[in-house]
Amino acid sequence: MALEADDRLAVMELIALHGHLVDDGELHRLEELFTDDIVYDVTDLGHGSLTGVDAFRDAALAMGARNPVGHHVTNIVLTDLGDGRVAARSKGIGINADGTSGSVTYEDTVVRGDRGWRISHRKVIARRTPLSAS
């Protein structure tokens, strides 16, 4: 069964919410974004995998001023996996305090539960090499 338009919109807004909560320092609201047992895989950025909302919050606080000042998400593509699960792929752009930026791809598994849609797994993949002909 195809993902209904209202569910598609809810998942896209959920993915957009990440940047707002993190950039505004509203880490006490992460339960609106993630399942309690979120696996947040930042291995490609050299930080391994974080399991649970508290681990994500602790890591964000530990980074302090090294956190980007802006997390921007775009190019969201959703695939209905059935059974209340959606695969989401999106592009992230991080803006740092010194004006530098970086690009990542987010690969998410989003699940529908008692509290609505939440991200249960996120893999962050750094984009380091531009397109080149083979």
Side-chain angles (χ1 to χ4, degrees):
M1 182 175 222
L3 193 62
E4 297 291 332
D6 56 342
D7 287 323
R8 184 172 293 278
L9 180 60
V11 171
M12 293 174 81
E13 286 186 357
L14 177 74
I15 291 168
L17 181 62
H18 171 262
H20 291 285
L21 295 183
V22 173
D23 294 347
D24 293 343
E26 295 189 67
L27 302 181
H28 62 282
R29 295 181 54 200
L30 291 175
E31 287 80 5
E32 296 175 33
L33 183 63
F34 299 134
T35 59
D36 294 336
D37 59 350
I38 174 75
V39 174
Y40 201 94
D41 183 352
V42 284
T43 303
D44 200 42
L45 302 177
H47 302 292
S49 287
L50 308 168
T51 302
V53 173
D54 289 338
F56 178 90
R57 183 182 293 114
D58 292 346
L61 291 170
M63 283 187 63
R66 292 177 292 139
N67 279 297
V69 296
H71 292 79
H72 305 280
V73 68
T74 187
N75 299 37
I76 301 170
V77 178
L78 304 179
T79 303
D80 187 358
L81 299 175
D83 296 325
R85 296 180 326 120
V86 172
R89 184 173 165 92
S90 59
K91 302 298 288 184
I93 302 166
I95 308 299
N96 299 309
D98 66 0
T100 60
S101 62
S103 179
V104 298
T105 299
Y106 294 123
E107 293 181 349
D108 298 335
T109 301
V110 183
V111 297
R112 183 179 21 227
D114 295 339
R115 298 180 297 166
W117 291 100
R118 298 292 185 271
I119 299 169
S120 66
H121 187 272
R122 171 168 276 183
K123 183 174 183 178
V124 182
I125 304 164
R127 179 82 176 150
R128 295 186 178 99
T129 307
L131 174 69
S132 61
S134 314

